[in-house]
């Protein structure tokens, strides 16, 4: 599918549920149906539901097209899911409010769809490790509102890493929030950088340069600029994000950057990801850890001690 296709042409191409069912079937089973239980290839189709059931001819196990995928449990028509995927595949992205208005769902439904799609993006990004020449740098989301050494509750330290090509271009980008246990005031501890390296850098990486200080002369400016671009994109598209869900938006930014570099057809890739990534359910989503209240209380206490 052309990356230049307009949303209007896209909705015409995927106007029916049958078209979307066929596309999702191919994305989930590109080599043909395979029974999730016994791996048998032969099946029959049961069409008594909104979405077809596929029954294995060997063990008679029945599976829905969306079972075990990001779409699992959703009652939203597939054509609306595909519209959401198309809109998320565009570089500018889309907010839940805009999505709800565009595809005609409630805000809550659109918000959950957006986060499920970002979950698929995050799972994809976590599988690729930085390699070759690697740069890791301090970054920040949000601006400090005071000149003290204490981190303001709206200032979120980041670690950004990238694989650097021979032409000094970033070819793979990772931006992660730094957990509070790896922070002393606004400084990232060595344990924080070690945790980042262990999780996101290939052990066989040729060279790894790490700067975890805010004002070091060894800072890698292009990485700082990428954090600034991510912050601007989040603020312009979503009107700012709190710490609870910030990481999923940073992952979406990196997903777009990395796949644009690879010249991937992002829509087709997103369909494949959603067809092969287990869903993120609503309880898990709203129970994500949020340290903002705790940090705000600690910050207020520190200022009171100083004054």
């Amino acid at each position: 599918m052309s990356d230049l296709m307009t949303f209007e042409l896209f909705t015409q191409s995927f106007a029916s549920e049958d078209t979307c069912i066929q596309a999702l079937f191919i994305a989930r089973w590109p080599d043909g149906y395979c029974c999730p239980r016994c791996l048998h290839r032969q099946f029959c189709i049961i069409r008594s539901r909104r979405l077809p059931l596929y029954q294995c001819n060997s063990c008679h196990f029945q599976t829905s097209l969306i079972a075990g995928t990001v779409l699992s449990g959703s009652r939203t028509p597939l054509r609306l899911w595909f519209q959401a995927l198309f809109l998320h595949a565009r570089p500018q992205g889309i907010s839940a409010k805009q999505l709800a208005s565009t595809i005609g769902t409630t805000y809550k439904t659109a918000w959950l769809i957006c986060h499920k799609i970002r979950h698929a993006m995050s799972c994809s990004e976590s599988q690729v490790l930085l390699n070759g020449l690697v740069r890791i740098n301090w970054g920040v989301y949000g601006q400090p509102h005071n000149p003290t050494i204490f981190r303001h509750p709206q200032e979120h330290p980041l670690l950004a890493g990238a694989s650097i090509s021979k032409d000094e271009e970033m070819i793979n980008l990772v931006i992660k929030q730094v957990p509070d246990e790896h922070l002393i005031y606004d400084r990232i501890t060595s344990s924080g950088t070690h945790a980042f390296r262990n999780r996101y850098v290939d052990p066989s990486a040729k060279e790894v340069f790490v700067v975890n200080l805010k004002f070091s002369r060894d800072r890698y400016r292009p990485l700082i600029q990428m954090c600034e671009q991510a912050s601007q994109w989040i603020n312009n598209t979503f009107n700012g994000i709190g710490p609870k869900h910030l990481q999923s938006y940073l992952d979406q930014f990196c997903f777009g950057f990395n796949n644009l570099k690879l010249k991937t057809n992002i829509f087709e890739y997103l369909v494949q990801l959603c067809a092969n990534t287990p869903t993120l359910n609503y309880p898990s989503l709203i129970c994500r850890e949020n340290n903002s209240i705790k940090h705000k209380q600690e910050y207020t206490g520190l200022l009171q001690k100083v004054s």
Side-chain angles (χ1 to χ4, degrees), residues 28 65-74 81 112-113 115-124 126-127 270-282 284-285 288:
R28 183 171 183 183
L65 182 63
I66 63 174
T69 74
V70 159
L71 291 73
S72 180
S74 174
W81 267 98
L112 188 56
I113 288 174
H115 273 286
K116 287 188 174 186
I117 293 173
R118 291 189 194 101
H119 172 64
M121 292 176 175
S122 297
C123 290
S124 170
S126 66
Q127 296 174 8
L270 265 182
V271 175
Q272 293 172 7
L273 286 178
C274 288
N276 294 281
T277 303
T279 193
L280 173 68
N281 58 42
Y282 185 72
S284 298
L285 180 58
R288 282 176 174 170

Side-chain angles (χ1 to χ4, degrees), residues 161-206:
S163 299
I164 311 298
S165 71
K166 294 180 180 179
D167 299 324
E168 288 293 315
E169 290 188 2
M170 288 182 286
I171 53 178
N172 192 25
L173 176 68
V174 174
I175 303 177
K176 296 296 178 179
Q177 286 178 271
V178 181
D180 283 351
E181 61 263 29
H182 295 313
L183 293 169
I184 298 179
Y185 301 130
D186 65 345
R187 184 173 68 84
I188 301 172
T189 64
S190 58
S191 63
T193 55
H194 285 315
F196 184 94
R197 286 188 62 168
N198 290 338
R199 177 63 186 84
Y200 304 109
V201 179
D202 193 312
S204 64
K206 184 179 179 181

Side-chain angles (χ1 to χ4, degrees), residues 6 14-15 43-44 61 93 98 110 126 139 155 206 208 213 221 243 245 253 256 263 266 268 276 299 301:
T6 65
F14 289 88
F43 67 99
C44 61
F61 179 75
Q98 293 171 320
S126 66
E155 182 183 10
K206 184 179 179 181
V208 181
L213 299 178
R221 188 62 192 172
H245 299 295
F253 178 83
K263 298 183 179 180
I266 298 181
E268 292 182 359
N276 294 281
Y299 172 79

Side-chain angles (χ1 to χ4, degrees), residues 209-227:
F209 297 95
V210 181
V211 177
N212 64 346
L213 299 178
K214 185 185 298 187
F215 300 113
S216 170
R217 64 180 182 180
D218 297 321
R219 291 177 300 171
Y220 187 59
R221 188 62 192 172
L223 271 179
I224 297 175
Q225 292 173 342
M226 290 309 301
C227 290

